[in-house]
Amino acid sequence: MSEPSGPPIALVTGSNRGTGRAVRSRLTSDGYDVRCLNRTPCADHEDTVTVDFGDPAAVALAARRILADAPRLDLLVVNAVTRGFGTVADVTARDWDEAVAVNLTAPVRLVQAALPLLRRSQGHIVLMGSHAGSRPFEGGIAYCATKAALKQVAEVLLMEERRHGVRTTLLSPGAIRNFDDDHSAYKMSVESVAEVVSWAASTPRDTVLGEIELRPGRLATPPVVGLDRLQHV
């Protein structure tokens, strides 16, 4: 299959701040024509389309609009997320439904809309997961459950789409300094996470990084250590 000509094209969601903004910047420096799909416009980037990720049907339509003139799609980075917290007893129906829509259903609709172009370019999907998908915590029912389900989406995509030349990577990071006033030494910078996205997308065509689990390079002393951990599982 001959590859479409022109610069590689990437579509990044949630690219107006934090990790998504860093990913957009890194991919631009890598030579990608980066297209963005966000809830609100970027202050430093022209967004032709914005969308409410809580409306998955609208997300699919918006993706088709923003890719309507694209001859190819080499990379899809699904980064938009909501992090509403609450216990099982107290999480509101609104917060639960929004988490399912934004963190799970919208990514599936987005991938469906992008697959024809991804297949044409034999492109790459990067789904931004989280440690929360495999390390649940109190008060995180909606976030943990949807990130765990996203891991299964990645696995099914790996099984179904490699035959069409489309590779999928689930990137599951731990704590990230997503806010400008966060200077914790025990979290990763957004630029470091963006570098890993770039690296995953540049792997040879005959390989795929199915899942990357990314942890901060430094570790604070946890409140419970050693054998005592067994009392806190």
Side-chain angles (χ1 to χ4, degrees):
M1 179 186 295
S2 61
E3 295 187 7
S5 60
I9 297 175
L11 173 59
V12 182
T13 68
S15 65
N16 55 346
R17 60 185 177 184
T19 301
R21 181 174 59 194
V23 169
R24 167 168 57 87
S25 177
R26 175 55 189 256
L27 294 178
T28 298
S29 68
D30 287 345
Y32 282 88
D33 170 8
V34 181
R35 304 188 182 197
C36 302
L37 187 57
N38 302 312
R39 187 188 298 264
T40 57
C42 298
D44 58 347
H45 185 273
E46 183 178 352
D47 295 314
T48 57
V49 180
T50 56
V51 70
D52 177 6
F53 287 95
D55 183 349
V59 170
L61 290 173
R64 293 188 181 99
R65 282 182 59 197
I66 207 164
L67 295 171
D69 65 341
R72 59 188 295 150
L73 182 61
D74 300 271
L75 178 61
L76 172 64
V77 181
V78 183
N79 173 71
V81 68
T82 185
R83 294 183 179 86
F85 299 118
T87 65
V88 175
D90 298 328
V91 66
T92 66
R94 179 178 179 178
D95 285 348
W96 173 264
D97 292 347
E98 182 182 39
V100 172
V102 175
N103 299 348
L104 184 58
T105 309
V108 172
R109 296 288 181 260
L110 181 66
V111 168
Q112 288 175 323
L115 269 177
L117 284 175
L118 286 166
R119 287 175 175 178
R120 182 178 181 186
S121 298
Q122 307 227 319
H124 200 131
I125 302 166
V126 175
L127 301 177
M128 295 297 292
S130 169
H131 276 188
S134 57
R135 294 173 175 82
F137 55 88
E138 300 89 337
I141 179 62
Y143 187 58
C144 295
T146 52
K147 286 300 184 180
L150 191 66
K151 176 178 173 64
Q152 300 308 312
V153 172
E155 288 297 325
V156 172
L157 281 169
L158 278 164
M159 290 188 287
E160 293 180 348
E161 289 300 321
R162 275 181 292 173
R163 71 190 68 179
H164 301 294
V166 178
R167 298 173 296 159
T168 299
T169 298
L170 178 71
L171 177 55
S172 296
I176 305 172
R177 295 194 298 269
N178 259 312
F179 299 99
D180 293 339
D181 60 351
D182 189 346
H183 305 291
S184 172
Y186 304 110
K187 297 181 182 180
M188 298 170 282
S189 72
V190 294
E191 292 79 14
S192 294
V193 178
E195 184 172 345
V196 175
V197 172
S198 170
W199 172 61
S202 65
T203 52
R205 283 281 182 92
D206 63 346
T207 68
V208 60
L209 295 166
E211 181 175 5
I212 303 173
E213 195 238 19
L214 195 61
R215 307 187 190 194
R218 295 184 64 189
L219 180 66
T221 301
V224 178
V225 298
L227 188 62
D228 288 344
R229 285 183 181 274
L230 298 182
Q231 300 178 55
H232 297 270
V233 174

